[in-house]
């Protein structure tokens, strides 16, 4: 467990240092075969990018370094329990294991409240705060039909 603590301490260090650079208090480390292959910090306000969370930035760097969108065999260490977007990205990246320090309640208490997103996800689309309207499904379905019938595709 000492090696895991070492990597978590790195994620925490990144989160603290990022505050000094004008970023949010979040850091992430991706490890493969016992070595750090990528790190990320929250750059939402610095980059004017609402998706520039620490975990997303670390995943992007790791995928680029490994030249693979599939991060199987990797672990991620995050200074905080991931938001819904980051958790989804961690699953999509096929990361094997996640370690986190602060909880989503800790984040909420610090002013980073994602509870409304968790609640919205569980609602029927028509009951969500974000107004949704489906358009042109009959035309769009052609892309999925083409995908299903393509034989030289890379599945993910």
């Amino acid at each position: 467990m000492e090696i895991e603590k070492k990597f978590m301490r790195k994620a925490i260090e990144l989160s603290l240092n990022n505050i000094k650079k004008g970023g949010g208090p979040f850091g992430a480390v991706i490890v493969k075969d016992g070595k750090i292959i990528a790190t990320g910090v929250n750059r939402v306000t610095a980059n004017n990018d609402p998706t520039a969370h620490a975990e997303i930035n670390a995943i992007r760097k790791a995928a680029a370094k490994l030249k693979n969108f599939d991060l199987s065999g990797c672990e991620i260490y995050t200074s905080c329990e991931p938001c819904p977007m980051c958790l989804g990205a961690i699953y999509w990246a096929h990361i094997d294991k996640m370690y986190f320090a602060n909880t989503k309640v800790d984040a909420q208490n610090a002013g980073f409240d994602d509870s409304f997103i968790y609640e919205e996800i569980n609602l029927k689309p028509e009951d969500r705060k974000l107004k949704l309207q489906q358009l042109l499904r009959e035309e769009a379905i052609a892309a999925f039909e083409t995908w299903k019938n393509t034989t030289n595709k890379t599945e993910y």
Side-chain angles (χ1 to χ4, degrees):
M1 192 52 76
E2 283 308 309
I3 191 79
E4 290 87 354
K5 289 179 182 178
K6 173 184 147 190
F7 295 134
M8 183 57 75
R9 285 189 178 103
K10 179 64 175 174
I12 294 167
E13 175 189 337
L14 288 166
S15 72
L16 289 166
N17 288 338
N18 196 50
I19 296 168
K20 296 173 191 168
K21 297 176 183 174
F26 301 96
V29 173
I30 296 181
V31 173
K32 184 171 179 127
D33 299 325
K35 294 181 186 127
I36 294 175
I37 60 165
T39 64
V41 293
N42 182 286
R43 302 308 293 159
V44 170
T45 57
N47 297 355
N48 292 314
D49 179 354
T51 68
H53 290 200
E55 298 90 341
I56 299 293
N57 288 331
I59 288 169
R60 288 174 178 161
K61 288 178 186 175
K65 183 171 184 172
L66 296 176
K67 295 180 175 45
N68 197 335
F69 58 83
D70 185 336
L71 300 181
S72 295
C74 293
E75 299 174 335
I76 189 166
Y77 295 78
T78 69
S79 64
C80 186
E81 185 176 1
C83 74
M85 175 184 68
C86 293
L87 185 60
I90 290 165
Y91 275 105
W92 279 116
H94 304 286
I95 292 174
D96 290 351
K97 189 167 186 178
M98 177 181 73
Y99 299 86
F100 66 94
N102 292 315
T103 68
K104 61 185 176 182
V105 173
D106 296 329
Q108 181 179 2
N109 291 336
F112 299 94
D113 188 0
D114 297 324
S115 60
F116 74 98
I117 298 173
Y118 286 103
E119 292 164 8
E120 287 280 301
I121 289 170
N122 289 322
L123 296 175
K124 291 186 238 173
E126 61 270 16
D127 294 334
R128 294 179 183 158
K129 288 182 180 128
L130 178 65
K131 300 303 173 211
L132 306 171
Q133 184 175 349
Q134 186 175 22
L135 293 173
L136 302 177
R137 179 185 177 272
E138 300 81 18
E139 293 177 33
I141 201 72
F144 287 143
E145 293 302 324
T146 301
W147 173 259
K148 287 193 302 190
N149 295 321
T150 299
T151 56
N152 63 342
K153 62 189 169 201
T154 301
E155 304 252 0
Y156 58 97

